[in-house]
Amino acid sequence: MSGLKELRNRIGSVKSTQKITRAMQMVAASKLRRAQESVEASRPYALRMQKVLQSLNSGVKDNQSISPLMIGTGKSETYLLIVATSERGLCGAFNSSIVRAVRREIDSLKSANKSVKLLCIGKKGRDMLKREYGDLIVHTFDFADVK
């Protein structure tokens, strides 16, 4: 009968693990919903900032005394890709989708003989890209560093 008891203990253990996983999933979903709401709330500010930058850009084009950092050089040889991913898992295909898109972009830029640099925000993106594109990563930011 010890086999039956072990089986019951195992079933109870699996049910407890399922409850914990379900609770963690609900917490992650709630955090994602809050993040989406904050992004949607910032949309009017982003649109206004875009208008301000367009206005600045139109006023700068004719002025020769402006810094090249402000108006650019007209060359597009080096690209900086900013990869923003999460610090941990439990967010479905979020990180994988971002890294997949970054890999496609890197491949298309390299096929066009462009130089690519990466700035990684979050551990997951850095860890996934480090193996294949570690030499392209110029800097990383972890959420643990931000207080």
Side-chain angles (χ1 to χ4, degrees):
M1 282 293 175
S2 68
L4 184 58
K5 184 173 181 167
E6 289 174 5
L7 190 58
R8 284 186 181 150
N9 286 341
R10 178 75 175 157
I11 290 171
S13 172
V14 168
K15 285 184 180 180
S16 295
T17 304
Q18 285 176 336
K19 287 179 185 178
I20 292 169
T21 305
R22 213 172 294 126
M24 291 171 71
Q25 185 179 18
M26 287 171 43
V27 168
S30 133
K31 286 183 179 179
L32 179 61
R33 190 184 74 256
R34 256 186 277 135
Q36 286 174 333
E37 288 171 357
S38 70
V39 166
E40 288 174 6
S42 69
R43 214 172 257 156
Y45 299 106
L47 293 173
R48 181 67 180 152
M49 182 60 74
Q50 184 179 16
K51 288 180 183 176
V52 168
L53 290 175
Q54 286 173 343
S55 173
L56 280 172
N57 189 27
S58 66
V60 166
K61 285 185 179 179
D62 300 331
N63 196 340
Q64 298 297 325
S65 64
I66 302 296
S67 167
L69 291 175
M70 187 71 171
I71 58 173
T73 61
K75 300 177 184 176
S76 61
E77 297 166 358
T78 303
Y79 287 78
L80 175 67
L81 300 179
I82 300 174
V83 183
T85 57
S86 70
E87 198 71 10
R88 298 185 212 142
L90 291 176
C91 49
F94 175 74
N95 295 319
S96 310
S97 299
I98 292 173
V99 170
R100 193 176 317 113
V102 168
R103 284 186 175 133
R104 272 195 305 260
E105 189 66 22
I106 290 172
D107 292 341
S108 70
L109 289 170
K110 285 196 170 211
S111 67
N113 293 325
K114 305 292 182 183
S115 174
V116 179
K117 296 182 181 192
L118 299 174
L119 177 87
C120 295
I121 302 171
K123 282 184 194 172
K124 288 295 183 179
R126 180 198 62 209
D127 292 344
M128 287 190 234
L129 292 168
K130 184 170 44 174
R131 193 174 307 122
E132 192 174 352
Y133 300 109
D135 56 324
L136 301 179
I137 298 175
V138 292
H139 195 64
T140 61
F141 293 99
D142 291 338
F143 295 114
D145 298 340
V146 179
K147 299 281 183 198

